[in-house]
Amino acid sequence: MNKEFVMEWLGKLKEYWFNKELEGAVSLFKKTTFYQETPFMKAYTTLEEIREEWQHVKKENIQNIEIYPLAIEGYTVIAHWILKQNDMHYDGIYEIKFNEHLECVYFKSWEMKHE
């Protein structure tokens, strides 16, 4: 796995999310067996649960999304994300793990809301 692949994958995530292309976003997670948007909620383990989680994006007024890789080690990526939606600012960290076929198998996010 290399930085170019990571930038492309994160770019797709950002584009699908910003444009509310939910099926495109969900397609990035078709092999994911652990998906957790915040440590305060249960992890999803099926594509149907992930698809259901993405439905809330339809109602969001997304103003800006930025995602930057911070570290790549083997098949694991740590990325920093920044989101402005509904006039609120959030940011956090993603931990994303890929298999040897470069399919996302693990996705965990930590977030912080700025007042």
Side-chain angles (χ1 to χ4, degrees):
M1 191 165 67
N2 58 38
K3 186 175 181 180
E4 289 73 30
F5 168 79
V6 170
M7 294 298 291
E8 182 179 324
W9 195 93
L10 294 174
K12 287 179 187 177
L13 177 62
K14 174 184 172 178
E15 178 184 332
Y16 293 148
W17 185 6
F18 187 80
N19 293 318
K20 301 181 182 184
E21 295 175 33
L22 304 187
E23 283 307 311
V26 171
S27 74
L28 296 174
F29 303 104
K30 60 187 167 201
K31 297 290 183 177
T32 305
T33 57
F34 182 97
Y35 181 98
Q36 190 175 35
E37 288 203 5
T38 170
F40 305 109
M41 61 188 275
K42 79 175 192 92
Y44 300 127
T45 58
T46 68
L47 191 59
E48 236 1 91
E49 289 174 317
I50 296 168
R51 180 176 282 115
E52 185 62 33
E53 174 59 27
W54 272 88
Q55 297 307 306
H56 75 277
V57 170
K58 292 178 187 176
K59 298 179 254 175
E60 295 172 352
N61 175 21
I62 301 169
Q63 294 151 299
N64 189 43
I65 301 170
E66 298 174 44
I67 308 174
Y68 305 101
L70 297 175
I72 302 169
E73 182 179 329
Y75 292 107
T76 300
V77 175
I78 304 298
H80 177 220
W81 59 270
I82 302 165
L83 170 66
K84 182 177 181 189
Q85 72 180 23
N86 305 318
D87 293 319
M88 312 241 346
H89 292 266
Y90 303 85
D91 77 327
I93 300 292
Y94 289 144
E95 178 183 14
I96 310 165
K97 297 179 183 180
F98 296 88
N99 63 18
E100 62 277 1
H101 304 292
L102 301 181
E103 299 163 312
C104 176
V105 295
Y106 177 99
F107 183 89
K108 186 171 184 177
S109 179
W110 291 266
E111 71 178 50
M112 183 169 162
K113 179 176 143 185
H114 299 276
E115 300 297 330

